[in-house]
Amino acid sequence: VLALAEHNRRSHLTSEARKRCAVRRLVWGDEDSTAALKDRGPYDLILSADTLYSAGDGTGSAGPDPQSLLAQTIGDLAGPSTVVLIATPDKGSLFLDAMRGQGFELQDLGAEPAVVSARRDALSAAEASPRGEVRVLRLRRAAATDARL
């Protein structure tokens, strides 16, 4: 995945944009991994797609819930004005509850014209997916939280 992301970064971004964009490995909930990226922040935008899975997803994992680890990691990396965009077919209730607990506000972008258009363009792919429609969510720290940071 990282090699493909790096290829896309080199192939599709202008030289100026490449200077501001980096591809890095990130292990959710891992302090060393997060610290290495936090030094490069604060970030304007954090993107996540197809990363929220329901608890009890059949992986048999006995460790911490992946949604909680993702929420912790995003909370650690996000600054006061960071926008977080999540595309997911799952409701991600554990994740969303954890993000709200860190002072983030949620906005479902499902009715935004650009999202509606993208869904329409990808309809055949969505019909082929057993998971159905994808939600696009925007998260930002609440204004009250901004004042404390």
Side-chain angles (χ1 to χ4, degrees):
V1 171
L2 292 176
L4 179 59
E6 179 59 28
H7 169 77
N8 286 333
R9 184 189 77 83
R10 284 192 317 266
S11 300
H12 301 291
L13 296 179
T14 65
S15 60
E16 187 60 34
R18 282 194 302 271
K19 293 176 187 175
R20 297 186 323 258
C21 180
V23 174
R24 299 284 185 263
R25 181 175 187 265
L26 175 62
V27 178
W28 302 343
D30 180 81
E31 291 179 16
D32 292 335
S33 181
T34 304
L37 291 174
K38 195 171 187 173
D39 290 343
R40 297 180 58 96
Y43 295 96
D44 298 325
L45 178 65
I46 296 175
L47 298 173
S48 175
D50 204 21
T51 53
L52 301 181
Y53 302 94
S54 298
D57 62 1
T59 62
S61 174
D65 178 75
Q67 289 187 23
S68 298
L69 293 175
L70 177 59
Q72 171 193 336
T73 301
I74 289 175
D76 289 345
L77 293 174
S81 61
T82 302
V83 174
V84 180
L85 294 176
I86 306 282
T88 180
D90 187 17
K91 294 189 184 343
S93 59
L94 291 173
F95 170 80
L96 297 176
D97 288 346
M99 294 303 291
R100 285 183 187 108
Q102 295 182 68
F104 283 81
E105 295 177 335
L106 163 75
Q107 179 183 8
D108 192 327
L109 300 178
E112 295 289 322
V115 174
V116 171
S117 176
R119 278 194 190 131
R120 188 174 32 250
D121 292 346
L123 184 58
S124 61
E127 289 175 340
S129 170
R131 297 191 306 189
E133 187 172 321
V134 173
R135 296 174 67 198
V136 179
L137 309 171
R138 177 173 40 208
L139 297 136
R140 292 189 88 159
R141 290 194 188 270
T145 304
D146 289 351
R148 290 182 290 200
L149 294 178

